Amino acid sequence: MYPTVKKQSSSSDGAIRAVRAAMRPLLLVILLGCLVLWVMMPTNTYSEKWLLQLQAKTDSTYFGQQGTTILIYTFPVLFAAVLGCVYLHLGKKLNDNKFISPKEDRLAVWKKPVLVKGPLGIVSMTELLFFVMFIALLVWSFWEYLHSGFQGIEAKAAKKGEKLWVSKLGAAALRLGLTGNIVLAFLFFPVARGSSILPLFGLTSEGSIKYHIWLGHICLALFTSHGVCYIIRWIAKHNLLNQIREWDRTGVSILAGEISLLCGLVMWVTTFPRIRRKKFELFFYTHYLYIIFILFFVLHVGITSAFISLPSFYLFLVDRYLRFLQSQRKVRLISARVLPCETVELNFSKTPGLQYSPMSILFVNLPSVSKLQWHPFTVTSNSNLEQDKLSVTIKGDGSWSKKLYQMLSSSSSVDHLEASIEGPYGPVSTNFLGHDTLVMVSGGSGITPFISVIRELIFSSSVLKIKTPKIILISSFKSSSDLTMLDLILPISGGPLDLSGLQLQVEAYVTREKEPATENVKPLQDLWFKPKATDAPASAILGPNGWLWLGAVISSSFVIFLVLMGLLTRYYIYPIDHNTGLDYPTSAQAAFNILLMCVSIAITASGAVLWNKKQNTMEARQVQNMEGSSAYQSPASFYNSDKELESLPRQSLIQSTKVHYGERPDLKRILFECKGKNVGVLASGPKKMRHEVATICSSGLADNLHFESISFSW
């Protein structure tokens, strides 16, 4: 049976709405304040007036010179992250069905693509606007830094006895580094999968990967220019060998900067498409150099300057450590469905408390395939229809997935498969019900995100009795064996489904065959795995109130870090240095602060996970009792009984499906024929196909088309 949906009382809803409404202006003020600081930072007004006055009031024997930077740059971002956690928690309680109504999605026009082909990929009007604003900020910052740096530079050059162009080159090199520091401040936000910052803007980590790529290119271009300019300057001064080996005791450590830049260049080179696609493992493993990159960057500039760019890295560290703790658990893998199209569906056991949205992403590690590799896959199950199961579908496209398929499809039986997971991560809310018609265009394995969307709409239609939009699924496959992926649309477990209220139209295109294949057709295989005592159902790492716990981890870890840093500064560094910055090694102080930051995060995050472990254990026992012995004593009959229950919905699905052989879909015709004021168009699959759909939606010939691309690449 499916769960009954509990609705909150109107008074409770009203109170939550009031609190969220009060929090919005506060979050807006914090974000605008941060923007003003970034704009003002390069100016003389800030450095010679505001900053000096603030330093005079905040410098203390406990925090030293870095206290001002923490107060101005680090605290507001972390405070906004904590408020964001509370805001998202209240939103989750208010909107359990995870849908946005059409009235709430007022920015749909700004989400339309304006750039399709080019170095930035598919870019919406909103993304282009923010990108231009960010570039303007960088240009403004560099110009202001350069303007102040060139003041009186002739006298300084004459005093040092060096040529004017050499002095100007050194000033420009320094300002390039300062501008790169601004970019670095934003670099880690898109890759913090469980952070609260991205959801505040309606973003997910997977959907923001392109922002991380943009920022990475800009950041390393600036830092590389920074390093090259200094090298040219040292060569001009005939002092190259001495400079590149310098590690200043109380100033800038040049050698540390060179090590950081070298690691950054290695990461940068492996991100280019030709290397990343052909040598993904090389790209994957070299990206772990970010640890050395950040560490030596902090040693290079000192902890005071690093605090400007550390907030995003701090949130990333919290997220990364929580992911590490979750990845140490062994998750129970119940079964697998092996499809003839070299596709595998893995079904994990999960606790009912683990809730997720459609199109969520799960990172999977299978030690028997590869001990080190983690791969992201779209979750195809639905947390409402399948409360005790979490499913992902894996298409055999790469070496890792092909090895898994060969392992499970071979004649030798696999009775157990060890697995670990991270996630699932997904959008906080979705706007599927906000459309009159929902068109989903997929190619190959790109159909997997849409399986979860259709299952969510099945739940809304058959259980919640909510009117759902008309669904048009356009799927392109290379061969007729790939059509078996359509069987994954309906869940194999749960109660009987009523599809009478669902308007579903499936248009499947087999492009490389002119008629159905009748020879060498492999049957679908069902594999059931034996559980081990060490395996546990997948569960939320911080429990059902994960956003509140995340806010508690961020705030408490930062408080502990400040206390430890204050004690270290007051009773160890201050007696030696007396806040002069001339007597205690800058690198040692930076290393101590990074260590204390990691210790604070580890203590609080571990405590939060252990506190929630009891609840997770209780839910895991309930799942084990629900599974009982019948699920494993007679798997075949269990599967057949599910098939029996689903026979009517499956017949309905077959009747709604039309297969076209030897042709490709005429996307322009199909999309332009869609009726309704609000037609949502989702595209998932090959880059060329997504670009084609985006071009059609942005052509201006149909104002009712609202496009969204679903992809890890850009």
Side-chain angles (χ1 to χ4, degrees), residues 89-161:
H89 172 75
L90 294 176
K92 183 179 179 182
K93 292 178 67 68
L94 183 65
N95 195 18
D96 284 337
N97 61 4
K98 303 181 179 68
F99 283 123
I100 298 176
S101 67
K103 294 182 180 179
E104 291 176 326
D105 193 18
R106 298 187 182 97
L107 300 178
V109 176
W110 291 85
K111 296 177 182 178
K112 285 193 173 185
V114 292
L115 297 178
V116 177
K117 297 179 181 180
L120 299 180
I122 301 175
V123 182
S124 68
M125 177 64 76
T126 305
E127 291 171 336
L128 182 62
L129 178 63
F130 276 97
F131 181 78
V132 171
M133 290 172 60
F134 186 72
I135 296 298
L137 172 64
L138 297 183
V139 173
W140 155 262
S141 300
F142 180 67
W143 174 257
E144 282 295 318
Y145 278 135
L146 204 60
H147 178 71
S148 62
F150 280 1
Q151 291 180 353
I153 197 169
E154 293 87 354
K156 295 176 183 178
K159 187 177 181 179
K160 294 179 180 178

Side-chain angles (χ1 to χ4, degrees), residues 48-100:
E48 296 177 3
K49 294 182 180 180
W50 296 5
L51 188 60
L52 292 178
Q53 293 179 7
L54 194 59
Q55 283 179 339
K57 296 179 180 179
T58 57
D59 282 356
S60 67
T61 59
Y62 284 94
F63 298 110
Q65 296 180 352
Q66 69 263 29
T68 305
T69 315
I70 294 174
L71 179 64
I72 296 176
Y73 293 102
T74 307
F75 175 75
V77 176
L78 297 186
F79 184 56
V82 174
L83 282 181
C85 290
V86 178
Y87 185 83
L88 293 171
H89 172 75
L90 294 176
K92 183 179 179 182
K93 292 178 67 68
L94 183 65
N95 195 18
D96 284 337
N97 61 4
K98 303 181 179 68
F99 283 123
I100 298 176

Side-chain angles (χ1 to χ4, degrees), residues 21 29 45 163 170 174 181 214 226 231 238 356 362 384 442 598 603 628 668:
V29 168
T45 302
K163 296 179 180 179
L174 174 61
N181 202 14
W214 297 351
H226 164 77
I231 290 174
H238 307 288
Y356 48 87
L362 188 75
N384 292 312
S442 69
C598 294
I603 290 173
K668 183 179 292 187

